[in-house]
Amino acid sequence: MIDALLAMNNLSIVNAIDELGTICRDFILVCYWAGRKFPCFDKHEFFSWIDSTSHYGACCSFNYHPSVQETITPFAVNTFGVHGGLSVIGTGYPQASDGKSGALYSEGFMLMIHHPHDFAVESAPLTLLKLGTETFISVSPTDSRCSSQVLVLPQSQRSCIIGKDFPVPIENYRQPACTLECLRNEVHRKCDCHPYHLPRQSQIPENIKPIRGCTVFDSLCLIDNFYMLKRLKCQCLPACSDVTYKTSSVVTDFSAHKYSMNIFYTETNLTSFEFIFHIYLSNQVVASNRRIVVVSWISLLANLGGAFSLCLGMSIISLVEVLFYIFLRFYRIQQKLQKQAKEKQIKLVQPLAALQRFPKKEQLLNQKISAFE
């Protein structure tokens, strides 16, 4: 019935959510960056909130560029600390309980921190934003890279992927994007439709028919395969160059504005339906992990040669000559033993062959009888 009603009004599920539900402009009121106010929805390349989706459903995203095949460079900051990041005042009034009917619509929001090129998946660090509170979210990035010696190794040895590993090289490979594609293909195979909250493939070949969008009736298929999709194992290796994030949060009430001269707190009356959150880098420096080849074959031979020369007074070439002589000596000894065994066998066979040349007793008797006749 719901599908027929949507079709009658020429609406998709996404259009119905936009028309009937609340949008980002209903929740996000005031935005500051490093102490300066900016329009929250100015359609800026970086400093702007946009409507998006995640595995939870409809979302609002900041500095989000989900297409990994584009060459968009994420926004990089050179500030840190609570006054050097993003500060937002929001309201939960559109989804707040009326306090009379007993219906509980919302008690807060979920905030996920992820890479600008990644779809917000379940593994992203999650922070709960409760109404009537101020939340300070400290972000600690970790930069992971590989040396040039690791990158020249085969993919099976380095256990990571770069864009050049694909038949058609891509600019930015992301493991979450690979996992998303794996999940999307499995949903297409099981239910023959595309859920509204998953991003569609950016480039679809002309010979492949586009997958239809899932309807309300198709949700039964998604429910039946929910746990199977949760346990889905995708063969997606991490990127050789990647940035991951960890978060820690501190939650307080609105009493901080009494002891602060920041004009940020004058933007609102700070009612019980509102909430404040600050997202910032915790430190000026970040942790960096670099994968290197500890010992290559050339280095191993050089180290062994130096150790042998120092401790045994011999080089690798001398060691090879000694081993060659030992194996050659054993080989010659084995050949000599085989030759001696063969000669003994010949000596035993010769007397037996001589005995076989004498006529047998029956043959002699027959010869005598023939001669007598």
Side-chain angles (χ1 to χ4, degrees), residues 93 96-105 273:
Y93 184 78
S97 172
D98 56 9
K100 298 179 181 179
S101 62
L104 184 62
Y105 303 107
F273 293 112

Side-chain angles (χ1 to χ4, degrees), residues 155-290:
Q155 178 182 326
S156 58
Q157 295 184 11
R158 52 180 152 89
S159 299
C160 64
I161 294 181
I162 57 178
K164 296 181 181 179
D165 291 336
F166 295 90
V168 179
I170 62 176
E171 184 70 20
N172 298 308
Y173 166 78
R174 302 289 306 163
Q175 185 182 23
C178 175
T179 306
L180 173 62
E181 183 177 1
C182 174
L183 175 62
R184 182 170 51 203
N185 294 337
E186 188 66 18
V187 173
H188 292 175
R189 187 179 68 86
K190 288 287 186 180
C191 301
D192 194 26
C193 67
H194 183 85
Y196 81 94
H197 65 283
L198 294 182
R200 286 187 175 270
Q201 189 175 357
S202 57
Q203 296 180 357
I204 301 177
E206 297 180 356
N207 57 346
I208 297 180
K209 183 180 179 180
I211 300 295
R212 64 179 180 86
C214 292
T215 62
V216 178
F217 181 77
D218 293 322
S219 60
L220 298 177
C221 175
L222 298 175
I223 293 173
D224 293 338
N225 295 279
F226 177 78
Y227 291 103
M228 185 277 297
L229 296 175
K230 281 282 188 180
R231 297 190 299 267
L232 181 64
K233 294 183 179 180
C234 301
Q235 302 298 327
C236 293
L237 294 176
C240 295
S241 178
D242 196 5
V243 178
T244 56
Y245 301 91
K246 293 182 179 180
T247 61
S248 59
S249 60
V250 177
V251 182
T252 64
D253 54 18
F254 286 153
S255 60
H257 74 280
K258 300 178 182 179
Y259 311 99
S260 176
M261 299 178 61
N262 194 337
I263 61 173
F264 172 76
Y265 294 101
T266 63
E267 297 285 350
T268 179
N269 295 326
L270 299 178
T271 64
S272 59
F273 293 112
E274 295 178 339
F275 62 94
I276 299 175
F277 64 89
H278 309 271
I279 306 175
Y280 55 92
L281 295 178
S282 59
N283 205 333
Q284 190 176 8
V285 296
V286 299
S288 179
N289 296 331
R290 183 175 175 84

Side-chain angles (χ1 to χ4, degrees), residues 47 78 123 142 172 205 291 297:
F47 293 94
N78 56 1
S123 59
T142 300
N172 298 308
R291 297 178 60 192
W297 285 109

Side-chain angles (χ1 to χ4, degrees), residues 27-30 88-92 109 131 273-277:
F27 298 109
I28 300 175
L29 303 179
V30 181
V88 175
I89 298 176
T91 179
F109 297 86
L131 301 182
F273 293 112
E274 295 178 339
F275 62 94
I276 299 175
F277 64 89

Side-chain angles (χ1 to χ4, degrees), residues 124-140:
L126 180 67
T127 303
L128 298 179
L129 305 177
K130 192 175 180 180
L131 301 182
T133 61
E134 183 175 9
T135 307
F136 299 84
I137 301 129
S138 173
V139 181
S140 300

